[in-house]
Structures are given as structure tokens and as C-alpha cells.
Amino acid sequence: MTYPFLLEVSFGELFPTGYVIFLLESPQTPLSSITRLRHQKIELLLQARLRLSEADPGLSLDTLLRQLLNEAEDLTGSCVGFFHLFSEDLQTISLQTWSDRTLHGPCTALADQYHYNIDVAGIWVDCVQTRKPVIHNDYKSVPHKKGLPPGHVNLVRDLVIPIFHHQKIVAIIGVGNKAAPYTVEDIDHLSILGDLAWDIFLRKREEQRLQESESRFRKLINDIPLVSIQGYGSDGRVRFWNPASESLYGYSEEEAMGKSLLELIIPPEMQEEVREAVSRMAKTGETIPPAELTLQHKDGSKVDVFSSHALIYPTHGEPELFCVDVDLGERKKIEENLAAALQEKEVLIKEVHHRVKNNLAAVVGLLEMQAHLPLDAATRQILIELVARIRSMALAHEHLYQAESLANISMQQYLEALLYHLHSALPAPHINFQVTAPEVESSLDIAIPCGLIVNELLTNAIKYAFPESTSPQSGQKECRVTINMHQHEGIYTLQVSDNGIGLPDDLDQKKNQSLGMMLVRMLGEHQLGGRLAIDTSQGTTMTLTFAPGKRHAHEQSLSAHR
């Protein structure tokens, strides 16, 4: 009796995924016949690999995998072939494809189950638990089989092999219904084809991703309006021409493709310089610096563009160069339209300020006329103070109307004008006034409350700080009122001080119910969100500190110092 024994031989590059297993004869078995048979199998396997490698690259993944399963059936003498994929968590399996013989055979249940959990699969997934090839040469006698679904091909025997990628099972390839029992040689051949199947799957999946990426890229640059994009090779001939290029330069895609980009859009006096720059970019990767250029239209007219370049290295082939041109003519039109719209807006806003100022001036005029009628002194004084308050608001609108910028008012000029009108309404020749607000500018919503506050404090100083006994005529000190305003890092400080007699000692400043002080506190502490401090150690000094736009943070900061 003779017994065959096993010999494992590595074929390196030829069979990189495993070993070819030879059955060698015993001394009574002719070695030459077995060797010749094995050589025939190896030759068939090589031919199968060659046919699959030379298959049309344009074929779909399913078609290539079906061809591979057909080769697997021929090599193993099988009648059934299938290829399944695993999910990332190894819990779900999905049918990728069947062999042509299986698809066109008597089986009618193949299209029903494409995705299912591994725990409901049959014994053909035993290879997943064992992580090894599994042969069932007598399907009917396998004790733990789950049976076949209705319409499934009658299964006599099968061979199923797991496919690994980075030590992880990613797919299963299997064959079935060989006339004779499956052997270790069938395992080796199917393992080689299984790894080839995974290589095909990865390659086709990457090709699909590249095609999708290319499609998205082409759609993106085709759909970008007002941006001309041209693709060209190192020879300068156009390979890509988006619709915006046709709009900008007048050439259709059919007219531009394959033509020299230099001859199409580059003026003759620039062609040599551009040709050298393109050649240098293609050879060294040194991109052409972005620049504003004057190129040419199909009809010979000039086109002003901002041009930039990019170099893309594909997986295969020579690098592709892309030129991106933005039409400055369109930008200039937009800028001109924006400038015209802005100028119109400024005119309208100035007109609004002018009308507000005129309306307030009309109210001032009516009140002044009323003040000249026979009235008691108290009523006339109320009208005079009311006129001063309204005039302070009118002055702010007047300064905005006259200013170059509609955003801010010069507080130096505004406070000086306010002081002039107030001094005219309440003559006080014995008082020296001084305004200091260097380079302080503010918006209307800051200037008006500040103007009203200054108006109230100056009125109080004129009326009460310097009684007749302390005037210069009585030999006393110089009467002086100063207005200071400055701004630093977004925080404004407004200070009005006098060197007069100060406030009465028994005056409760917070309970002072005079209209003037109520206005000062309402405008300073509530509207501007600031802090008002009063110092009576040398005359009277009232200081308001506020931070526009940072009201809450500023209030917290001020509270910490109280």
C-alpha cells in the first residue's frame, strides 16, 4: 500500500499569497505523471491570472469578479461560485456577485438574499469562526447545517475560503459541487484567486472613488460663474475649458480644445515670457506668481484679468497645469456700481440729517418766539432751557450733514458749537470757558446724549456756580468752566468742571429731583450705561465714564471700584 506525502513550495512573486501544495508519489507511484499534472494546474492558474490582469479596465467590478469566479470554477472543477463582502463590524455579510454558471443555472433564490446577518448564515461561514478554509465534501452529513432556502441550487459539497486584509477578514470566496472531493490543492488555487479578487475589488473601488472625485471636480469648476479655468499640458495645449472661459475669451470648448493656449489668449508680446514660465512650472513645479494681466479676446479686444496658476500631479501621466482667471472688468463694474450706490446712500442720509436739523431748528424758532411774549420769569427761563436742549440735538445732525464721514462727529467742533449757542442764550461774560476734546470722534447715538449732558451741566454752572459776589468785579478769583473729553481703548471719559462755590453741603446728590440732574443721570447712567461721579472738593467736577458696545462688562468693572 502506498501513501502520498505533502511538500510545500513557495513561489514568491508568482503566488504571493500562499503556497502551492504538491502531492508527491510513493516509491510505487510514477512521479512524472503527478509532476506533469501539477505543472498543468500551475499553467492554468497563470493563464487565469493573466486573463484577469489583461481584462478591459472599463469593465465593471461585478463583471470582473464574475470572470474570476468562472476561472475558479474551471480550476477546481466546480459548478457554483460566489463572492461575499463583510461589514466593518463583521456582523453583516453581503453578496457581491455569483459566477455566470451559477447565475444562469437552475437556482431561483439567488437574487432574494443580498444582505443578512452572519448569525443566520449557513455552514459556509464556518470559515469566519475558524479563520481558516473550510471544506464540506458531504454536505448532507454535516450535523450543524441550517438547510437551503427554497429555490436554491442543490448543494453536494463546497469549499469556502476567508480573505484577509491586515489580519482582518474582509470577504469570502467559495465554490461548490465539484464532481470529486475538494483537496488542499483546491484550497491553494482558490486562495490565490481570492486574494486576486480582493485586489480587483480594491482597485475598482478606488477607480470609482477617483471617477466620483473627478466628476465632482469637473462639475465644480464648470459651475463656477465669472471664473475662467483652463487646463493644459506642458506643451501649452488646452485640455480643459470651462463655460466661463468661453464667456470671457469668446472661444467655445470645441474651438479651444487641443489648441495652444498661448495663441488663443496671450498677446504676441507676452508669448515668449509665458512659454518659458509654463515650461519652468512643468519641469520644476515652480508656479507662476498671480498677477493682473491684459489678455486678448477672440475678437481681438483686450481682457483685464487677475490670473493665477496651479500644478496638479495625477497618479499616472504628466502633470496638468491649470490657469484660473477672474474677470477684472466685471469686478470693476461691480465696484463702480457699489461706489455709485454708496454715494447715493450718503446723499440720502445727509438729506435726512439736514431735514431733521431744519425741523428741530423750526421748533427752536417757535419756542424762541414764544419766549419773547409777555411771560413771567420762571416760564421764560423754562423756554430758554428747552431751546438749548433742542438746539444741542439739532447741532449734532448739522455736524453730521456737514462732515465728510457720516459715521462720526468731531466732538471738539460739536462741543465748541454747543458752547457758543449756549453762551449766546445765557450770557456770562465774567466766565472763561474752555473745551478740550482732541481727536475724539463719536457716532450720533453717543454725541447727542453727551451734548445734552454738557448742556445741562453748563447751564447749572452759569446759573449757580458763580453768584454776583464772586465775579471779577468784586475782586475775586477768575471764573472758569472747562469741558474735557477723551477716549482710550473704547472707553470714553466726559468731564465738566468749574471753580465756583460748589454744591450745598446738605444736598443729597442722588435724591436731587431737579430736571437737569435727572436728565444727566438718565442719559449718562441708563442710556450710555456709564458711571457718574461728582467731586465738590474744589468747585464742582462731574465725570462720566462709559464704554459703548461693552455696557455690561463696563458696568461690572465700574462696580468693582465702587
Side-chain angles (χ1 to χ4, degrees):
M1 185 175 182
T2 61
Y3 297 92
F5 59 94
L6 298 180
L7 174 64
E8 294 185 352
V9 182
S10 174
F11 276 74
E13 293 292 332
L14 187 58
F15 301 107
T17 59
Y19 294 92
V20 177
I21 302 176
F22 289 91
L23 285 174
L24 298 185
E25 62 181 346
S26 69
Q28 290 78 22
T29 306
L31 180 60
S32 58
S33 61
I34 296 179
T35 304
R36 186 165 52 253
L37 179 62
R38 299 297 177 262
H39 285 172
Q40 290 175 356
K41 284 283 189 178
I42 293 172
E43 185 176 352
L44 290 174
L45 186 59
L46 285 172
Q47 291 174 357
R49 288 175 60 90
L50 183 61
R51 283 191 294 271
L52 291 168
S53 299
E54 293 179 346
D56 184 0
L59 294 178
S60 68
L61 172 62
D62 285 349
T63 301
L64 285 172
L65 289 178
R66 282 201 303 272
Q67 289 186 7
L68 183 141
L69 291 173
N70 295 340
E71 299 284 357
E73 287 179 343
D74 292 341
L75 278 170
T76 60
S78 302
C79 300
V80 176
F82 57 88
F83 183 83
H84 287 67
L85 292 174
F86 266 102
S87 61
E88 289 290 332
D89 58 4
L90 296 182
Q91 299 301 313
T92 305
I93 196 168
S94 61
L95 171 65
Q96 182 65 36
T97 190
W98 299 87
S99 67
D100 286 331
R101 188 178 289 113
T102 311
L103 286 171
H104 301 142
C107 183
T108 60
L110 302 182
D112 295 333
Q113 298 292 330
Y114 278 91
H115 302 274
Y116 43 85
N117 292 334
I118 193 172
D119 56 1
V120 300
I123 59 174
W124 58 274
V125 296
D126 288 351
C127 65
V128 177
Q129 281 78 27
T130 62
R131 295 176 65 85
K132 296 178 181 179
V134 171
I135 294 176
H136 303 112
N137 273 327
D138 187 0
Y139 175 78
K140 290 183 179 180
S141 66
V142 179
H144 62 285
K145 64 179 181 294
K146 296 185 178 181
L148 301 173
H152 198 282
V153 64
N154 183 40
L155 194 60
V156 177
R157 59 181 54 87
D158 63 6
L159 164 60
V160 188
I161 293 177
I163 299 173
F164 291 86
H165 184 68
H166 298 313
Q167 307 300 317
K168 183 178 180 181
I169 298 177
V170 292
I172 290 176
I173 187 170
V175 290
N177 288 357
K178 180 181 179 181
Y182 287 104
T183 67
V184 289
E185 185 180 21
D186 294 321
I187 292 176
D188 193 71
H189 292 163
L190 191 59
S191 295
I192 293 171
L193 290 179
D195 287 337
L196 180 58
W198 183 248
D199 290 342
I200 291 174
F201 176 80
L202 290 180
R203 175 167 56 85
K204 297 302 291 187
R205 185 174 65 177
E206 189 62 29
E207 287 177 1
Q208 183 179 0
R209 289 175 177 173
L210 288 174
Q211 290 173 357
E212 292 174 352
S213 177
E214 173 76 6
S215 177
R216 289 194 299 269
F217 171 72
R218 296 293 177 180
K219 186 177 187 306
L220 174 65
I221 59 180
N222 270 323
D223 292 347
I224 296 177
L226 303 179
V227 177
S228 166
I229 302 177
Q230 315 104 45
Y232 56 98
S234 57
D235 57 359
R237 297 195 175 277
V238 175
R239 298 180 180 178
F240 178 80
W241 190 265
N242 74 338
S245 298
E246 179 176 350
S247 300
L248 185 60
Y249 295 112
Y251 296 97
S252 66
E253 183 179 6
E254 292 75 14
E255 291 175 309
M257 293 297 289
K259 302 291 179 58
S260 170
L261 187 67
L262 298 178
E263 297 175 1
L264 288 177
I265 64 175
I266 306 299
E269 64 273 13
M270 295 174 54
Q271 289 185 6
E272 187 59 32
E273 179 183 356
V274 174
R275 183 180 290 107
E276 292 178 359
V278 168
S279 176
R280 185 167 57 253
M281 183 168 68
K283 291 179 180 178
T284 67
E286 178 186 350
T287 57
I288 302 173
E292 292 189 10
L293 302 174
T294 300
L295 305 182
Q296 62 184 15
H297 191 272
K298 179 181 179 180
D299 60 11
S301 60
K302 302 300 182 182
V303 181
D304 293 323
V305 299
F306 182 81
S307 182
S308 56
H309 296 259
L311 188 63
I312 297 178
Y313 294 91
T315 305
H316 304 287
E318 65 176 26
E320 293 184 76
L321 296 83
F322 283 87
C323 179
V324 180
D325 295 334
V326 179
D327 185 5
L328 294 183
E330 290 295 327
R331 189 189 72 179
K332 289 179 179 178
K333 290 179 182 178
I334 294 173
E335 289 176 349
E336 290 173 358
N337 291 337
L338 288 175
L342 182 59
Q343 184 177 8
E344 181 179 357
K345 178 182 177 181
E346 289 181 351
V347 170
L348 291 174
I349 293 177
K350 284 192 172 187
E351 180 63 23
V352 169
H353 287 301
H354 183 59
R355 293 190 179 188
V356 171
K357 186 267 296 183
N358 286 344
N359 291 336
L360 291 175
V363 174
V364 168
L366 291 174
L367 291 174
E368 287 180 334
M369 290 174 58
Q370 190 69 32
H372 285 85
L373 295 176
L375 298 170
D376 58 85
T379 302
R380 181 175 290 105
Q381 184 62 32
I382 291 174
L383 289 177
I384 292 174
E385 292 177 2
L386 186 58
V387 165
R389 291 165 183 153
I390 297 175
R391 182 177 282 118
S392 70
M393 293 186 287
L395 283 173
H397 288 281
E398 181 178 0
H399 276 74
L400 271 181
Y401 171 71
Q402 295 175 349
E404 294 182 0
S405 169
L406 291 172
N408 294 308
I409 297 174
S410 168
M411 292 303 294
Q412 178 75 32
Q413 297 177 3
Y414 172 52
L415 293 176
E416 287 178 348
L418 183 64
L419 178 61
Y420 171 79
H421 286 282
L422 186 62
H423 201 193
S424 299
L426 299 173
H430 60 290
I431 301 177
N432 180 25
F433 294 93
Q434 182 179 0
V435 176
T436 304
E439 301 180 359
V440 178
E441 294 187 345
S442 68
S443 59
L444 189 66
D445 56 352
I446 293 176
I448 286 181
C450 286
L452 288 169
I453 290 172
V454 170
N455 179 81
E456 297 304 320
L457 295 179
L458 288 180
T459 300
N460 283 345
I462 293 173
K463 290 169 60 177
Y464 306 116
F466 306 104
E468 191 66 28
S469 59
T470 61
S471 65
Q473 286 81 357
S474 60
Q476 299 298 320
K477 62 181 180 181
E478 175 190 16
C479 301
R480 185 174 65 256
V481 176
T482 60
I483 307 166
N484 293 291
M485 187 174 186
H486 61 269
Q487 183 263 345
H488 179 67
E489 295 184 353
I491 298 178
Y492 288 82
T493 301
L494 175 64
Q495 186 178 80
V496 178
S497 60
D498 65 70
N499 62 342
I501 62 173
L503 298 177
D505 294 335
D506 59 350
L507 178 65
D508 188 336
Q509 298 171 9
K510 291 190 175 182
K511 292 183 179 180
N512 188 351
Q513 298 298 313
S514 69
L515 178 59
M517 286 306 300
M518 288 176 61
L519 279 175
V520 169
R521 291 193 178 279
M522 180 184 68
L523 293 169
E525 296 180 342
H526 298 286
Q527 184 169 337
L528 294 177
R531 177 192 175 190
L532 184 65
I534 302 177
D535 180 11
T536 59
S537 58
Q538 295 181 349
T540 303
T541 299
M542 294 197 179
T543 304
L544 175 67
T545 305
F546 61 96
K550 303 177 182 178
R551 175 172 176 174
H552 298 296
H554 183 57
E555 287 177 341
Q556 294 173 2
S557 175
L558 293 176
S559 298
H561 294 84
R562 290 176 182 173

